[in-house]
Amino acid sequence: MGKRVALVLAGCGVFDGSEIHEASAALVHLSRGGAEVKIFAPNIEQRDVVNHLTGSPAEEKRNVLVESARLARGNIQDLAELKASEFDAVIFPGGFGVAKNLCSWAVDGKNCTVNKHVNSTLQAFHSAKKPIGLCCISPVLAAKVFPGCEVTVGQDKNVDGRFPDAETASAIAELGCKHICKNVNESHVDKANKIVTTCAFMCKAPLHEIFDGIGTMVQEVLKLA
């Protein structure tokens, strides 16, 4: 029987929701690993809406659950309904929606607050010693909720211009967590906390390398489950 995995989304689109390629990569690798997946998102209003053609703010309101349903092909549930007892693991793809909708990192950095249902989901899986997978910017959720944990968002220096958001590693360290430098095709496993992270689009890399890195994260999550 395949592992039961919950996937938590933050909307639809890199600038104000979940990063579509990361969500798709996670789902493909979970499918290949024989996992049974259910998708969730919080039923809340997005912090903002971005015109992805121009990169400019749009004067409209959108709902995170409704937008996430686009990625889930309509098969999605309110995050408030997620019960950790019904799953073996949980995975959070990245995208600015994580830093805007699942928490306030985009505005407040290390002083951010985490959405109550996101926080309770992370706490429930951690307490049950069930693995948590995070990629791109979503490792900051673990850094905020679990002081002392180990995560990666890639490198702590902008190596060859490939890691323009390397300062995130310093903010993670300021939260009392340990940042582990990894390449885009690698992931880090915090065995003590069962937290698996990979940098994904925090690195400027070819899409197939990001896809492969997310694959290593998914594989490690399934091993721990």
Side-chain angles (χ1 to χ4, degrees):
M1 182 177 174
K3 301 298 183 181
R4 301 163 300 169
V5 180
L7 188 84
V8 181
L9 298 179
C12 181
V14 58
F15 299 129
D16 57 14
S18 288
E19 210 297 319
I20 293 170
H21 298 296
E22 291 179 14
S24 178
L27 288 166
V28 169
H29 287 295
L30 285 166
S31 176
R32 184 170 287 146
E36 176 188 338
V37 181
K38 289 189 178 179
I39 304 175
F40 297 84
N43 186 10
I44 57 174
E45 187 177 297
Q46 290 184 188
R47 177 175 289 273
D48 63 7
V49 178
V50 176
N51 180 324
H52 279 59
L53 181 61
T54 64
S56 302
E59 295 298 323
E60 60 180 283
K61 297 182 184 299
R62 296 193 184 187
N63 177 280
V64 173
L65 179 58
V66 172
E67 291 301 295
S68 298
R70 294 173 180 270
L71 283 170
R73 297 172 60 88
N75 189 9
I76 194 167
Q77 294 174 258
D78 187 336
L79 182 60
E81 299 173 5
L82 194 161
K83 295 180 176 62
S85 60
E86 297 178 354
F87 295 91
D88 301 303
V90 65
I91 288 177
F92 290 76
F96 281 111
V98 171
K100 292 179 175 181
N101 305 325
L102 303 192
C103 70
S104 63
W105 186 277
V107 176
D108 302 319
K110 60 185 175 60
N111 298 315
C112 71
T113 56
V114 178
N115 171 275
K116 64 179 182 179
H117 295 303
V118 173
N119 185 74
S120 62
T121 294
L122 290 167
Q123 294 283 9
F125 278 85
H126 188 258
S127 296
K129 300 189 184 324
K130 294 180 177 181
I132 299 167
L134 309 114
C135 64
C136 194
I137 191 63
S138 64
V140 302
L141 295 172
K144 185 66 180 181
V145 176
F146 307 118
C149 72
E150 298 177 357
V151 299
T152 189
V153 289
Q155 300 291 322
D156 56 11
K157 295 181 179 60
N158 190 7
V159 182
D160 299 326
R162 298 177 76 223
F163 295 89
D165 301 305
E167 70 276 3
T168 304
S170 299
I172 286 170
E174 288 177 27
L175 285 169
C177 298
K178 185 174 183 180
H179 179 266
I180 310 296
C181 290
K182 290 285 183 178
N183 291 321
V184 66
N185 59 346
E186 300 176 312
S187 55
H188 176 69
V189 181
D190 177 347
K191 293 182 180 178
N193 289 294
K194 289 195 170 183
I195 295 171
V196 188
T197 51
T198 189
C199 70
F201 278 100
M202 294 292 275
C203 177
K204 290 185 175 180
L207 184 57
H208 70 277
E209 293 184 11
I210 292 164
F211 182 90
D212 291 345
I214 292 171
T216 68
M217 181 266 286
V218 170
Q219 289 165 14
E220 294 296 341
V221 165
L222 294 178
K223 284 180 191 175
L224 291 171

